[in-house]
Amino acid sequence: MARILTGIQSSGRPHLGNILGAIAPAIELSKDPNNESFFFIADLHSLITIKDGPLREEYVRAIAATWLAFGFDTDRNVFWRQSRVQEHTELAWYLNCFTPFPMLANAHSFKDKSERLADVNAGLFTYPVLQAADILLYDANIVPVGKDQKQHLEMTRDIATALNRQVGQDILVLPDARIDERLMVIPGVDGQKMSKSYNNYIDIFLPEKELRKAVMKIMTDSTPLEEPKNPDTDITFQLYSLIAGEPEVALMRQNYEKGGFGYGHAKQALYEMILEKFSEPRRIFNYYMENTAELEQKLVEGEEKARQIAQETIKKVRKALGYGS
Ligand code: ADP
Ligand code: TRP
């Protein structure tokens, strides 16, 4: 039985890139009966950038509703908010004291973000330590993440090894990153990586009119309607291929190549395909965003399960470090 664990920061509503690149593949992995999945919302990490409580809460709900909308089974797995299980922050402190300062100072993510962000706080600096605590609290074996998180997983292993060595026992389990190299980077409406930070994302849960508007913003070249077009360099076609089935994609390719088919037609087809393919997730997402008490109930149930496991780990760590029995 492998224990899979991953977290998503509550720093915005999930977009098509997050869904196709992270959420849907993690849910697929959770369906394997040999796996036990621990998925949480990293709402403490998001305090680094989002200080507005109600806004952060709104994003927490949107992320939780997305996991549920894409079929995460919360009865068989564990699903919770990081901030409600205090052991995350307690373990993070212990781990801080086993983390060499240069390891954090040289982290790629810190270097990148400290150049871009106006508010470079200590939370940004110790971000990887809280992430290590998230993982080590639950004895996770496999952590599915994007390529950008590879270094954070290496740090988690190094920090765990340092603590284990100090206490002379393997109390923390070393996790492995699962980085799916086949997963492509989903392009945004401007052709760069789809990201909240570039404001080029498609939010598939928007009401129809707004969703259509977002799709219509996709950039194209200026080939006139009558002329044949190259599907392989076109963003609309790329997004369409990620969502539609094979026969529909083949038909779309023909439309591009034969000419007389404009980019407006292609975008309309993409918009309709999003509505069709995601009709059930859209329905479930909206249901939970309206019935927040039910969503809250699922999170509270998950928090209880998570807390029990976290408390056991903390007890072992406290004892090993000489903080009582
Ligand atoms: P953003 O860039 O929008 O801030 P995050 O960095 O919060 O997204 O990413 C959350 C998860 O979604 C990560 O696992 C990341 O690898 C994945 N992800 C984000 N954007 C994309 C994308 N454009 N294509 C594929 N996966 C993505
Ligand atoms: N740092 C991750 C990201 O930005 C989010 C995260 C926080 C995480 N804690 C984690 C991912 C633990 C995996 C495991 O995408």
Side-chain angles (χ1 to χ4, degrees):
M1 179 73 104
R3 191 170 278 185
I4 317 280
L5 177 144
T6 199
I8 295 219
Q9 279 199 68
S10 47
S11 51
R13 278 166 56 115
H15 54 67
L16 191 59
N18 301 142
I19 291 168
L20 298 179
I23 297 177
I27 291 175
E28 262 329 289
L29 216 53
S30 77
K31 290 186 177 155
D32 180 339
N34 296 316
N35 293 339
E36 183 186 14
S37 291
F38 285 62
F39 293 166
F40 71 96
I41 301 159
D43 59 345
L44 292 173
H45 278 107
S46 59
L47 182 60
I48 295 168
T49 46
I50 302 188
K51 305 295 194 270
D52 177 336
L55 179 67
R56 209 173 42 245
E57 266 299 291
E58 172 74 18
Y59 293 156
V60 166
R61 281 195 290 275
I63 290 166
T66 306
W67 283 114
L68 298 173
F70 280 87
F72 184 53
D73 180 351
T74 56
D75 292 332
R76 211 173 72 72
N77 301 296
V78 189
F79 175 59
W80 75 104
R81 261 171 302 210
Q82 182 191 33
S83 62
R84 301 296 174 99
V85 180
Q86 292 168 6
E87 286 74 11
H88 287 252
T89 42
E90 183 174 347
L91 183 57
W93 177 256
Y94 303 143
L95 299 180
N96 261 316
C97 301
F98 290 87
T99 306
F101 179 88
M103 184 199 269
L104 295 179
N106 293 323
H108 307 311
S109 166
F110 176 70
K111 282 191 186 162
D112 280 3
K113 290 191 178 157
S114 58
E115 277 166 23
R116 281 193 287 120
L117 296 179
D119 173 15
V120 181
N121 56 57
L124 183 69
F125 188 68
T126 58
Y127 180 117
V129 185
L130 181 58
Q131 180 162 353
D134 299 336
I135 299 169
L136 299 171
L137 257 187
Y138 299 95
D139 294 345
N141 308 111
I142 297 172
V143 183
V145 279
K147 275 187 209 135
D148 58 321
Q149 298 293 315
K150 191 166 178 239
Q151 195 179 42
H152 289 163
L153 264 291
E154 286 160 5
M155 289 172 154
T156 301
R157 293 173 62 93
D158 288 350
I159 299 168
T161 305
L163 189 143
N164 284 346
R165 190 176 301 134
Q166 171 65 37
V167 302
Q169 300 167 49
D170 286 339
I171 51 173
L172 300 174
V173 173
L174 302 195
D176 283 307
R178 165 86 55 97
I179 297 165
D180 193 338
E181 299 289 344
R182 289 164 316 169
L183 279 182
M184 56 177 304
V185 174
I186 317 292
V189 296
D190 58 357
Q192 292 189 79
K193 169 190 173 291
M194 187 180 289
S195 170
K196 286 177 287 264
S197 3
Y198 306 146
N199 205 13
N200 63 353
Y201 56 88
I202 296 180
D203 176 349
I204 61 156
F205 299 120
L206 285 175
E208 293 186 9
K209 239 173 128 181
E210 288 169 52
L211 175 62
R212 187 167 183 281
K213 234 184 183 169
V215 172
M216 292 297 160
K217 280 199 192 133
I218 298 174
M219 287 197 333
T220 61
D221 61 28
S222 51
T223 316
L225 188 140
E226 318 76 57
E227 280 182 33
K229 300 178 180 59
N230 182 358
D232 298 317
T233 54
D234 182 56
I235 307 163
T236 310
F237 184 80
Q238 281 178 46
L239 292 174
Y240 188 82
S241 321
L242 289 163
I243 302 170
E246 263 176 53
E248 290 129 339
V249 176
L251 198 65
M252 183 60 81
R253 178 175 283 282
Q254 279 176 15
N255 282 333
Y256 269 71
E257 288 171 348
K258 76 174 195 282
F261 184 81
Y263 288 120
H265 297 128
K267 291 181 194 175
Q268 178 66 25
L270 171 62
Y271 161 67
E272 287 169 12
M273 188 53 73
I274 294 176
L275 286 184
E276 184 189 321
K277 286 283 163 167
F278 298 127
S279 85
E280 192 59 2
R282 280 168 60 86
R283 189 186 64 71
I284 302 173
F285 178 87
N286 285 319
Y287 175 83
Y288 281 113
M289 292 305 273
E290 280 155 25
N291 295 276
T292 50
E294 241 174 272
L295 186 67
E296 182 65 26
Q297 178 59 28
K298 287 204 177 281
L299 287 166
V300 168
E301 280 165 20
E303 275 147 32
E304 278 159 17
K305 291 197 236 171
R307 198 173 292 123
Q308 274 188 10
I309 301 170
Q311 281 174 349
E312 275 174 39
T313 309
I314 279 290
K315 242 196 241 163
K316 276 194 281 183
V317 175
R318 287 176 72 94
K319 189 164 174 218
L321 292 176
Y323 288 110
S325 57

